[in-house]
Every structure is written in C-alpha cells, then in structure tokens.
Amino acid sequence: KLPCATQTPLLAYLLRVDSEAAAPFLRRAIAARGESFTACNRTLLTDVANLYNDPLLQEIAIGALNDDDPLIAANAAQYLTAHADTTAEGPLWERLAAWNSTWKPRAEELRYVPGETTEAPDQANLGTSLIMALGSAQGWLADDQSLDRLAALAVTAEQREQVQQIRLAWDRRPRA
C-alpha cells in the first residue's frame, strides 16, 4: 500500500541485506491487487533490480510470467531480458507458446482502437515482451532456429517486425 517511491527502495534494501527475508515481501507486493493498493507491482521487478539485483528476482520473475495481469507478466519478461541466465529460457518459451495459443486465433482483438478500453494493448505488450526476452536476452544468444521459432509464434505484424529487427541486429554483429 506504500507509494512506489517508498516501497521500491525498501524492498531493494531488504533484498540486499537479507534476500531470504525479502522473498515473501516481494511476492506479496507482486500479488497485491485492488482499490486500496498501488500499481507498483506492474513494474516492481525492473524497478527493484535497478536499485539492487539478486538471483531471487529471477526466481520470482519466472513465476510472474504466468500472472493473470499481463502488465506484471510483461514486467517479468522485461526483467528476464536484462538479468536472466539460461534457466529462464525454457519458462519464457513455454509462456510465449501459451500466449500464442490463446491470442493467435484472436489476433484481431490485439489491435489498439482509440477510445476503447480492453486488455488488448496489455496482451500485445506481453507478447512483444516475451519475444524481446527470448530474442535479445543478455543470458543467451538467439540463433537462426530460435528466431524462426519466434517469428512463427509472433501474432501481430509489429511482433513479426520486432523479430525481423532482432535478426537484422544479429546479422550486423561482428563475428569472432
């Protein structure tokens, strides 16, 4: 219930001094929902990691990939893009495949329509965040086969373009 500017540094500090004690607080902060709560949980993982990163955050982020709130799941994917090791790759692929099976048949719903309030933009953002995590994570390199798989799981034209941009960036990298 604390403002984000207060809650985030407190959680980062607790994580730094005692990660075991921080775990339940971080999990409760991500799970907090409702009118009397702030929306800090939607950026919590990346915000805390900007102050202090710990392997516990990866464990929590992997669990948060399946959160019902697509903004929390997207933030988990964004955290994993910057901080994950190879153990996160499998759960990211699983989540992207599940997201694809839900949204591929409903791709038209993912379009943003000004004035309409739907979950579509948040779900599209989740799909894009998952693609970015798998295609450009710091913990592993996406090869041609992975990029082909990402392109096949992309639902929107924007997501397919993102995969193409990742592929172009990879092709421009100097090879040793």
Side-chain angles (χ1 to χ4, degrees):
K1 294 183 180 184
L2 293 172
C4 301
T6 304
Q7 176 182 287
T8 302
L10 285 174
L11 289 170
Y13 175 75
L14 183 56
L15 183 63
R16 184 174 66 84
V17 297
D18 189 348
S19 64
E20 188 176 311
F25 288 100
L26 287 161
R27 287 187 173 94
R28 277 195 308 240
I30 287 177
R33 313 283 156 86
E35 288 184 31
S36 63
F37 293 96
T38 63
C40 301
N41 55 356
R42 292 180 164 175
T43 59
L44 185 74
L45 291 164
T46 54
D47 290 347
V48 169
N50 285 336
L51 298 173
Y52 183 77
N53 191 28
D54 185 272
L56 173 66
L57 291 178
Q58 177 174 305
E59 176 188 325
I60 292 171
I62 289 171
L65 287 172
N66 294 307
D67 197 286
D68 291 337
D69 185 332
L71 294 174
I72 292 171
N75 184 249
Q78 292 157 7
Y79 169 83
L80 294 170
T81 301
H83 302 286
D85 62 31
T86 56
T87 59
E89 191 175 5
L92 281 162
W93 280 113
E94 289 171 16
R95 181 61 176 108
L96 179 58
W99 181 88
N100 174 278
S101 68
T102 299
W103 288 98
K104 189 166 188 138
R106 302 168 52 193
E108 286 298 314
E109 294 178 43
L110 292 174
R111 289 180 150 190
Y112 172 70
V113 179
E116 285 189 17
T117 53
T118 67
E119 71 172 330
D122 296 340
Q123 286 292 343
N125 178 51
L126 171 56
T128 300
S129 296
L130 292 165
I131 287 169
M132 288 300 299
L134 287 160
S136 59
Q138 301 298 308
W140 58 86
L141 292 175
D143 57 14
D144 283 334
Q145 183 180 7
S146 296
L147 294 175
D148 290 344
R149 186 175 174 197
L150 282 177
L153 291 170
V155 171
T156 67
E158 294 82 7
Q159 291 167 354
R160 286 186 290 279
E161 176 63 27
Q162 191 63 48
V163 174
Q164 188 61 25
Q165 292 301 317
I166 294 168
R167 189 181 303 276
L168 288 172
W170 176 249
D171 290 342
R172 286 191 297 261
R173 291 182 189 165
R175 310 268 167 124

